[in-house]
Amino acid sequence: MDVLSDLLHRARASHTAVRQLIQRPPWSLTFADPPLLSLVAALHGDAWVGVDDASPTRLAQGDIALVRGPAPHTISDAPTTRPLVVIRDGRKLSVDGSEAADRVRRSLAPRTYGDGRSGADAVLRGSYDLHGQVGERVLAALPPLAVVPAGPRTRAALDLLAAETAHDEPGQDAVLGRLLDLVLVLALRAWWAAPDARPPAWYRATADPAIGAALRALHEEPARRWTVAALAAEAGLSRAAFAARFAALVGEPPLTYLTAWRMTLAADLLRDTDATVGAVGRLVGYTDAFAFSVAFKRAHGVTPSHRRRPDPGPTGRPPAPSADDRRV
């Protein structure tokens, strides 16, 4: 599995959400507590997206915005439109009880809201509840707001996603999730291919056939006992040439990258599973629990058992140290 696919697969939570608004101006939606990644697309007409207190950015028809949470953001027909509806905890709350706010909240079809009249603006929004340290890796590669201009590939995918959004048939959630993934990947590719973009080093490195092959191998088998020589064989290069090229393109030596990736996976396994510290260590390539705990503490500043420990209670006193804490 390539690096981007692996990151998105591991970072994605149990569900995504897709909604569309078909509404004549004026309209405005403020998302007070959005998930960590939202995708907004102007399907018909223009839209404006403003993140937190920043000035709104215009989306022309077919443009896509990738919005990084958890800062609030607003989607509206114009930068001067006053707030009409606030979405908080999944509920649409009218700001002033006006007729315009009521129209924005009106259900037209599954996952579709607005008045649906001729000439209305049409906006689609999808959201991802990315989680864990893998999710942080994805988000770290994006600015608070990234606007991807309309293109033939993204437009075709958006049209298909919009057409499916209003259906409610067996398997619909699976279809919408996969189509939203398609639009997201196409948008990320387009954003990182822009002349002034600054894609993460690992993304640039995947374009190199040799280093891309090594990265794919590391992500497919992170627990394997990799050596630089074994990775060089995957890349089809000599050991010295591979090590130099990997460090130049990725920004760090291959085994340093591997250790950081293992510690990222371990942090999420400790949070999301009940596996013991030793079992988590084995899942990421450490046969010795003590060696794993040392590596984890070096990477994260705390021991594995402390990482999964519940927050202190009302007294503010943390639980007593575990055996794993005392060993490291």
Side-chain angles (χ1 to χ4, degrees):
M1 183 179 292
D2 67 86
V3 181
L4 179 58
S5 297
D6 193 25
L7 287 174
L8 293 176
H9 171 72
R10 294 179 185 273
R12 180 174 169 176
S14 58
H15 71 280
T16 57
V18 183
R19 301 288 185 269
Q20 63 178 337
L21 175 72
I22 304 175
Q23 174 67 44
R24 291 181 305 167
W27 56 267
S28 175
L29 295 168
T30 295
F31 297 85
D33 50 1
L36 291 178
L37 182 61
S38 300
L39 183 150
V40 179
L43 302 177
H44 186 273
D46 293 349
W48 291 77
V49 181
V51 179
D52 213 355
D53 295 327
S55 298
T57 298
R58 175 177 173 265
L59 296 185
Q61 185 167 310
D63 289 353
I64 297 172
L66 301 176
V67 187
R68 195 180 70 198
H73 65 266
T74 298
I75 310 170
S76 61
D77 67 293
T80 55
T81 299
R82 60 185 174 81
L84 296 174
V85 172
V86 174
I87 300 177
R88 190 188 304 275
D89 294 329
R91 299 175 58 201
K92 296 183 180 68
L93 307 174
S94 174
V95 173
D96 58 4
S98 65
E99 181 183 351
D102 289 340
R103 289 199 303 268
V104 171
R105 299 166 64 198
R106 187 178 304 151
S107 177
L108 297 174
R111 310 172 190 85
T112 305
Y113 300 86
D115 59 26
R117 295 185 181 182
S118 177
D121 296 331
V123 179
L124 181 144
R125 180 179 179 274
S127 61
Y128 285 89
D129 286 323
L130 300 183
H131 73 284
Q133 293 223 336
V134 177
E136 290 176 11
R137 281 203 174 202
V138 176
L139 296 171
L142 289 170
L145 176 65
V147 175
V148 179
R153 296 183 73 186
T154 53
R155 184 71 223 203
L158 279 174
D159 288 344
L160 184 57
L161 177 57
E164 287 291 331
T165 299
H167 292 298
D168 199 6
E169 301 173 1
Q172 200 67 38
D173 288 340
V175 171
L176 291 173
R178 282 157 179 76
L179 288 175
L180 183 60
D181 287 346
L182 172 62
V183 175
L184 174 63
V185 171
L186 292 176
L188 287 171
R189 288 177 181 171
W191 170 253
W192 286 331
D196 57 347
R198 294 183 177 179
W202 55 260
Y203 184 83
R204 295 194 305 268
T206 58
D208 182 276
I211 303 307
L215 286 168
R216 179 185 293 269
L218 287 176
H219 279 258
E220 288 178 347
E221 298 182 273
R224 181 172 163 182
R225 295 176 66 85
W226 288 107
T227 62
V228 174
L231 288 168
E234 294 283 342
L237 297 172
S238 70
R239 185 181 183 281
F242 165 74
R245 186 184 297 186
F246 191 102
L249 293 178
V250 180
E252 56 188 344
L255 296 187
T256 302
Y257 178 93
L258 173 60
T259 298
W261 178 234
R262 285 173 167 175
M263 294 302 106
T264 296
L265 295 178
D268 287 352
L269 285 168
L270 288 165
R271 194 195 74 163
D272 298 335
T273 74
D274 293 327
T276 65
V277 169
V280 169
R282 289 190 293 274
L283 288 171
V284 297
Y286 288 81
T287 56
D288 180 83
F290 178 74
F292 167 64
S293 293
V294 170
F296 190 92
K297 186 172 183 180
R298 184 181 300 117
H300 296 290
V302 296
T303 62
S305 56
H306 185 88
R307 180 74 179 194
R308 67 169 16 151
R309 180 181 300 162
D311 292 333
T315 63
R317 292 192 297 270
S322 70
D324 287 305
D325 290 329
R326 290 192 291 270
R327 281 203 301 267
V328 178

